[in-house]
Amino acid sequence: MSIRSEYPCLEINLKKLRENIEAMKAMCDKHGIEIAGVIKGFNGIARCVREYEDAGVSYIASSRLEQLEETKNAGIKTKTMCIRIPMMSEAEALVSVADCSLESEISVLRAVDKAAAERGRVHEVILMADLGDLREGFWTVEELVEAALIIEKELKNLYLVGIATNLGCYGSIEATAEKMNELIERAEKVEAAIGRKLKYIGGGATTSLPRLLDDDMPPRINLLRIGEAIIYSKDLPEFFGCDMSFMHNDVFTLKAEIVEIKTKVSHPVGNITVDAFGHRNTYEDRGMRKRALAAIGKVDYCDFHDIYPREEGIEVIGASSDHTILDIEDAKRDLKVGDIVEFDIRYGSGVFLTDSPNVKRIFV
């Protein structure tokens, strides 16, 4: 017997996703910017990826080769891009499922060139420049130019299509117009060294979109890797104060069933040590409160701070592996065991929920 519960489930509105992709593409088109649509925020679900292809993005992008493989196997023809610096050990797999990759190590470039040659392919490469966020990328202009020249002169099965950067993912560095101009300067030094124009100068990811919204993106930036802003559209308004009202922020709806409702004290009783995950927590004493347990937990979404009840008066106050604890004292409806509660999600919880075998997917 195969057991498959109806809840918890993740409802995915493909129409709203498509409208988000089209709205983002329209904005980028006005600025002469192409989109690499990053699909890792929903674990590369093929039915979602199809919306990116139909909307006409330039690349389907992910840090996980497995997701790019699934994209290819689904018959999607849009070029694929690997956006995590590839491991040396996966060079052969890389050229099988990715048409383009971000690179920052000459030894890996040589391995990828060899793998591409063995398959009779030419693999596109974008070299990464580290502008201070301190994740991936060549630190000096000299190193960047050296890598570009090696590709041009020695690695015949690689083609250098561009220079790009990453900002905001590790070092929290803002993608300012000044940073974009710094990237352009580095790209132009590469162009001078190799004697041709690059197809792309990639200005980063979702965190670079404020430059478009503020209309101060330097004109030579013509490629962005966009994930969260299309899928969830929550980070830019919350963290950067951007007006994203032209985007849907409810493409994904988490639904969970209530399995217990009780009125209890709000502070644990007894000696407090650590929770099931080894964390030492603090608890607010709010007196007797009506509480509900929902049948979903940290193993499904990781961090309970990244799910948000849509109904007024319901508050997530904690979670264990398989239960989410809700304060429903001020709920507007009379909740009962068996009722369904809906939640908004964001990038962090979405990555886990779309990868959980215990969360059913429903497409609407």
Side-chain angles (χ1 to χ4, degrees), residues 128-170:
M128 297 297 285
D130 191 337
L131 302 183
D133 202 65
L134 300 182
R135 201 177 74 177
E136 79 276 52
F138 293 96
W139 182 246
T140 69
V141 175
E142 291 74 20
E143 292 174 312
L144 184 66
V145 170
E146 178 190 6
L149 287 171
I150 288 173
I151 295 171
E152 290 289 295
K153 295 180 178 181
E154 301 178 29
L155 307 182
K156 302 305 180 184
N157 288 84
L158 302 184
Y159 182 69
L160 181 61
V161 293
I163 304 297
T165 195
N166 177 76
L167 293 165
C169 284
Y170 169 69

Side-chain angles (χ1 to χ4, degrees), residues 100 113 122-126 151-152 155-162 196-199:
C100 179
D113 177 68
V122 175
H123 181 79
E124 295 180 357
V125 166
I126 294 176
I151 295 171
E152 290 289 295
L155 307 182
K156 302 305 180 184
N157 288 84
L158 302 184
Y159 182 69
L160 181 61
V161 293
R196 64 176 176 86
K197 288 285 187 181
L198 296 165
K199 182 176 182 180

Side-chain angles (χ1 to χ4, degrees), residues 38-44 67 231-232 252 347 350-352 354:
V38 180
I39 62 172
K40 63 188 177 81
F42 54 80
N43 277 283
Q67 294 173 13
I231 304 167
Y232 302 109
F252 293 82
Y347 183 87
V351 169
F352 283 86
T354 53

Side-chain angles (χ1 to χ4, degrees), residues 17-31:
L17 176 61
R18 175 68 172 273
E19 289 174 351
N20 274 7
I21 302 166
E22 290 176 343
M24 184 62 65
K25 189 172 184 300
M27 182 175 71
C28 288
D29 283 347
K30 289 180 181 179
H31 293 82

Side-chain angles (χ1 to χ4, degrees), residues 229-292:
I230 290 173
I231 304 167
Y232 302 109
S233 198
K234 287 182 168 63
D235 285 1
L236 289 178
E238 181 174 345
F239 302 130
F240 296 90
C242 296
D243 180 6
M244 299 295 287
S245 58
F246 62 99
M247 302 285 282
H248 300 290
N249 64 6
D250 59 350
V251 172
F252 293 82
T253 301
L254 172 62
K255 296 183 177 182
E257 184 174 332
I258 292 177
V259 295
E260 177 187 293
I261 293 178
K262 295 281 189 292
T263 297
K264 300 182 181 182
V265 295
S266 52
H267 194 280
V269 179
N271 294 325
I272 294 177
T273 59
V274 297
D275 66 12
F277 290 81
H279 299 148
R280 295 186 182 274
N281 300 316
T282 57
Y283 305 90
E284 182 182 359
D285 189 348
R286 300 167 67 186
M288 299 293 289
R289 303 285 292 184
K290 192 174 184 181
R291 298 149 64 91

